[in-house]
Amino acid sequence: MKKALFVDCCLRPGSNTRKLAEAFIDNLSKEYKVKHLKLEDENLKPLVGEWFYSRQEILDTTSERTHPRFDYAHEFAEADLIVIAAPFWDLSFPALLKIYIENVSIDGVTFTTGEEGLKGLCKANNLVYLTTRGGFYNDSPMESALPQLRNLSEFFGIQNFHSIGVDGMNVEGYDAEASLNEAIKEASELAQTF
Ligand SMILES: Cc1cc2nc3c(=O)[nH]c(=O)nc-3n(C[C@H](O)[C@H](O)[C@H](O)COP(=O)(O)O)c2cc1C
């Protein structure tokens, strides 16, 4: 059985991004056991003050990465497929996803540093990023979420990055529903390739 980790950063009831993600997940092969990690329900804290210093101390004083604070990182590193769903907020993704990424980025678990530089340690070969946006940002240099997640995929050693971004969800007069339905079809087809 393969493991898919569904990192769900959809924060609105009736989220369009989650509809896209569910279409993807529903069409994944039954070979995958899917872990639905709903970030909203996790007790994620940003790395500030004592929460930051205590982690530094654990990292500096132990070489084994067995502390429960590294559980998110192990789960991420061991997944065969990563699916991230997050709406487009303030030209990027919600802060909650960044906080999750802080928890996952652990030297010795998801990446390592050596004489040859950085090396990703994650098992997954594919990271799928799904998003919906209020305006039109496809191919815009102002779209700051997609390049960041693509870079992180490489950082974690996940070779293939896939993304589906649906634009125009809040543009008056634009057929957002048709656009979303088309993307849902695309997401379903993409899932069937894994
Ligand atoms: C806090 C917040 C910030 C947003 N920032 C942007 C933005 O910078 N650009 C944009 O095009 N849409 C922005 N939007 C609109 C969302 O991207 C759009 O409604 C998206 O489809 C929401 O996804 P959801 O249905 O999964 O929640 C923002 C929405 C919220 C609530």
Side-chain angles (χ1 to χ4, degrees), residues 12 15-18 87-91 132-135 137 169-170:
R12 226 172 40 82
S15 158
N16 285 321
T17 313
R18 190 177 287 122
F88 188 58
W89 277 17
D90 308 321
L91 303 181
T132 65
R133 311 181 187 101
Y137 284 92
M169 291 296 104
N170 304 129

Side-chain angles (χ1 to χ4, degrees), residues 56-164:
Q56 277 312 112
E57 198 183 329
I58 302 164
L59 286 170
D60 294 345
T61 55
T62 56
S63 57
E64 284 167 17
R65 299 291 186 239
T66 50
H67 195 279
R69 286 205 50 181
F70 306 137
D71 286 355
Y72 287 117
H74 283 290
E75 182 175 58
F76 192 93
E78 288 159 20
D80 296 286
L81 170 68
I82 307 284
V83 182
I84 298 179
F88 188 58
W89 277 17
D90 308 321
L91 303 181
S92 183
F93 45 74
L96 184 60
L97 180 56
K98 183 69 171 89
I99 294 172
Y100 172 73
I101 292 164
E102 285 181 353
N103 279 271
V104 155
S105 302
I106 302 292
D107 192 352
V109 181
T110 46
F111 72 95
T112 189
T113 42
E115 279 171 21
E116 292 147 37
L118 282 169
K119 191 174 161 236
L121 295 178
C122 292
K123 185 180 173 195
N125 285 325
N126 293 284
L127 188 150
V128 177
Y129 166 54
L130 304 163
T131 192
T132 65
R133 311 181 187 101
F136 294 98
Y137 284 92
N138 204 10
D139 293 331
S140 164
M142 291 180 79
E143 213 291 12
S144 314
L146 202 145
Q148 196 177 343
L149 287 165
R150 186 191 286 118
N151 290 341
L152 282 164
S153 182
E154 189 176 332
F155 172 58
F156 291 133
I158 305 172
Q159 281 172 4
N160 305 305
F161 176 81
H162 315 259
S163 73
I164 299 178

